[in-house]
Amino acid sequence: MGEHLGYLFTGAWSLLVGAAILQSDVVPAWLGVVGIVVGAVLALCSLEFVGPFERGGWKVAAAMTPVIYIAWSL
């Protein structure tokens, strides 16, 4: 549960920060776009064990989660 919510809230926070960056002139707009894309994918990856994927997991999300989290960290 904690891992699911952690990815979900990190993704949501990244989406919101990306939107704020797009409205600002202080930071380049491309960083906002990257934040929105990475945040959306990270939030999507939080659904790895939700619904019909509860037992075995969603293989695409399982493969994408480590990669997108490293991208988020950069």
Side-chain angles (χ1 to χ4, degrees), residues 27-71:
V27 182
W30 66 269
L31 283 175
V33 173
V34 170
I36 290 172
V37 170
V38 168
V41 174
L42 196 56
L44 182 67
C45 286
S46 72
L47 301 175
E48 182 179 358
F49 293 107
V50 174
F53 307 113
E54 186 175 352
R55 284 231 184 262
W58 185 23
K59 303 302 181 205
V60 175
M64 286 176 33
T65 300
V67 174
I68 200 68
Y69 204 75
I70 289 171

Side-chain angles (χ1 to χ4, degrees), residues 10-37:
T10 301
W13 180 81
S14 299
L15 280 165
L16 292 173
V17 169
I21 287 173
L22 286 178
Q23 297 175 0
S24 171
D25 293 335
V26 178
V27 182
W30 66 269
L31 283 175
V33 173
V34 170
I36 290 172
V37 170

